[in-house]
Amino acid sequence: MDSGVIRSYSRYGGPRKETVYQLTDFFTLFYLRFVEDTNFTSWRTVQRSKPFYTWAGNTIELLVIEHMPQLVDALRIKEYATPYCWYGKTPEKEGVQVDLLIPATAERADYICEMKFSEGKYILKDSDAEDITDRISALRNSKIHKPTHSIYVVYVTTFGVSDSKHRSHINDIVTLDELFR
């Protein structure tokens, strides 16, 4: 982990606290996904394929984690505990996962951060609205959320979120531009 190509982080919410190890070197991730043991012939054969979108989604999550100080600054969070991935269950016992949960102590708030890759503004679908509602419900009913704290939903996307009937489900939007200032 001292090499900077692997990170460890805590995942809470399951039957026990888990430590997850993640490869963080962007070139190696690309190489393993598209070059080694594949028929990679050109970028054109990869772009806009299902493996590309999976890789792009994982990459934006990693980019956000690598730019945590910029994310916290964009959200105007003054003081926070260690952010982590969280898994919980809704009152109906359905499992939900939060890409990144930031407990903001000074703001008395928990920030549910969802990272989404898109080639333009992200369009919130009906399923996104249901997922948001489930995540809020699961967090609100968990042991880690303090009843005196607010819950904010943040979408971190490549180009923002388009106006749609579900836009009101999220509290804040951070774009990649804001992470690279």
Side-chain angles (χ1 to χ4, degrees):
M1 288 195 291
D2 291 338
S3 66
V5 297
I6 296 175
R7 77 176 179 106
S8 67
Y9 62 93
S10 297
R11 179 180 299 161
Y12 295 95
R16 67 186 190 289
K17 176 183 163 186
E18 297 176 343
T19 299
V20 177
Y21 296 92
Q22 180 182 33
L23 178 63
T24 60
D25 181 68
F26 292 98
F27 175 77
T28 304
L29 289 167
F30 179 84
Y31 181 85
L32 292 173
R33 184 71 179 126
F34 295 113
V35 180
E36 184 181 70
D37 296 330
T38 68
N39 295 326
F40 181 85
T41 55
S42 72
W43 181 245
R44 199 174 285 160
T45 62
V46 171
Q47 196 174 16
R48 292 193 172 97
S49 66
K50 184 171 178 158
F52 167 80
Y53 287 110
T54 301
W55 169 78
N58 292 337
T59 300
I60 194 171
E61 289 181 18
L62 187 55
L63 271 172
V64 172
I65 299 298
E66 294 291 316
H67 290 85
M68 186 58 66
Q70 293 87 343
L71 175 61
V72 168
D73 187 51
L75 293 172
R76 298 166 301 285
I77 296 174
K78 294 180 178 79
E79 184 180 322
Y80 62 97
T82 303
Y84 52 89
C85 175
W86 182 75
Y87 177 82
K89 292 195 179 282
T90 65
E92 296 79 25
K93 306 295 184 215
E94 294 178 31
V96 297
Q97 180 178 321
V98 172
D99 293 340
L100 182 66
L101 183 66
I102 305 173
T105 50
E107 290 78 9
R108 295 170 41 120
D110 290 324
Y111 288 80
I112 294 175
C113 299
E114 290 299 312
M115 287 74 104
K116 300 291 184 186
F117 170 81
S118 63
E119 295 177 305
K121 286 192 173 192
Y122 186 78
I123 299 170
L124 288 163
K125 301 174 281 303
D126 291 342
S127 59
D128 292 316
E130 291 172 21
D131 290 345
I132 292 168
T133 302
D134 288 346
R135 288 179 178 109
I136 291 171
S137 177
L139 182 60
R140 186 170 282 129
N141 291 305
S142 72
K143 294 177 183 175
I144 64 165
H145 176 71
K146 296 178 182 170
T148 57
H149 286 202
S150 300
I151 297 174
Y152 293 102
V153 177
V154 178
Y155 265 54
V156 184
T157 68
T158 42
F159 299 106
V161 175
S162 69
D163 288 331
S164 70
K165 65 180 181 178
H166 300 300
R167 172 60 182 84
S168 63
H169 282 75
I170 59 176
N171 301 96
D172 211 340
I173 300 165
V174 177
T175 63
L176 287 186
D177 284 345
E178 294 175 83
L179 300 183
F180 286 95
R181 289 187 181 166

